[in-house]
Amino acid sequence: KYAFSSRLKSTNTLKKLWVIADADSDCNAKWQMLRDCMIANGSYAVTPKTPLPKDGAIFDPSDENGITVGVWIMPDNDRPGMLEDFIASLTKENDTLIGHAVSKVHELDGDRASHPALFKHAHIPKATIHTWLGRMYRDAQLVRPSLNTRSIFPHPFAGSFWNGSASCSQGTDRLFSGLSGRQR
């Protein structure tokens, strides 16, 4: 909340701010928090009753020095969840590896006594997707290109997200190159 509010005031450095946030347990609560920050800023035509559109939203500032804000709340601007729930919804119907990943993660989650520090119960979707990706791509370097090219996500639902964030591929390129310490 503080970081988002601070960024809204950064007109000397930012012109656009794309917010992609996990809904976690309550999508409406996450939207309310972001909406309240924009209302407090006073530069956006947003009211306490402004709903988050199903396809995400872009809010232009009322003054020319303000920041354009784009909002997408994972997994789909409606349900509780996180990025990994979004990714899981995009897997191919005939993908047998996702089924194996779900089974393995639930098996491990059910045997917490033997694996107490494995992952938090709330992070089952994260563990599932990482297991699935790990089985699909034994070489971790192959995961990054697959996310950028959309090759593993042919599902039509992905269109709302990808189209709403046209610079998503560039953003993931910058994120991953920053994490790996090298430019592509």
Side-chain angles (χ1 to χ4, degrees):
K1 180 179 177 178
Y2 175 76
F4 180 60
S5 293
S6 297
R7 296 287 191 278
L8 288 177
K9 299 173 189 173
S10 300
T11 57
N12 61 338
T13 57
L14 297 175
K15 293 298 174 202
K16 295 181 180 180
L17 177 64
W18 304 122
V19 178
I20 301 174
D22 287 340
D24 295 325
S25 61
D26 189 346
C27 185
N28 288 327
K30 186 70 67 160
W31 168 235
Q32 181 179 348
M33 184 272 299
L34 294 169
R35 183 181 56 206
D36 289 349
C37 289
M38 289 192 294
I39 291 170
N41 180 277
S43 295
Y44 302 93
V46 179
T47 70
K49 295 188 186 256
T50 302
L52 178 63
K54 184 76 172 144
D55 290 333
I58 296 176
F59 300 95
D60 291 314
S62 57
D63 69 59
E64 62 193 43
N65 294 321
I67 299 170
T68 299
V69 175
V71 177
W72 180 275
I73 300 177
M74 289 292 175
D76 62 3
N77 285 320
D78 187 42
R79 295 179 297 132
M82 56 189 76
L83 169 66
E84 289 79 8
D85 293 304
F86 174 75
I87 293 171
S89 72
L90 303 179
T91 59
K92 298 175 186 175
E93 287 183 32
N94 62 349
D95 185 337
T96 58
L97 285 179
I98 194 71
H100 292 296
V102 167
S103 296
K104 186 49 111 176
V105 167
H106 283 285
E107 177 185 323
L108 291 169
D109 186 53
D111 189 17
R112 289 213 162 265
S114 300
H115 312 285
L118 193 58
F119 54 85
K120 294 179 182 178
H121 179 76
H123 290 164
I124 286 176
K126 288 182 182 297
T128 301
I129 290 303
H130 287 274
T131 301
W132 174 68
L133 288 171
R135 292 189 67 147
M136 279 182 63
Y137 301 101
R138 301 245 181 243
D139 178 2
Q141 289 300 311
L142 295 176
V143 174
R144 175 179 32 146
S146 70
L147 293 175
N148 287 341
T149 63
R150 308 175 203 173
S151 64
I152 59 174
F153 306 123
H155 195 286
F157 175 72
S160 295
F161 175 73
W162 292 118
N163 294 336
S165 57
S167 62
C168 185
S169 182
Q170 293 170 346
T172 55
D173 280 348
R174 286 180 46 213
L175 170 68
F176 284 112
S177 67
L179 290 175
S180 66
R182 58 194 155 125
Q183 294 296 319
R184 291 180 51 175

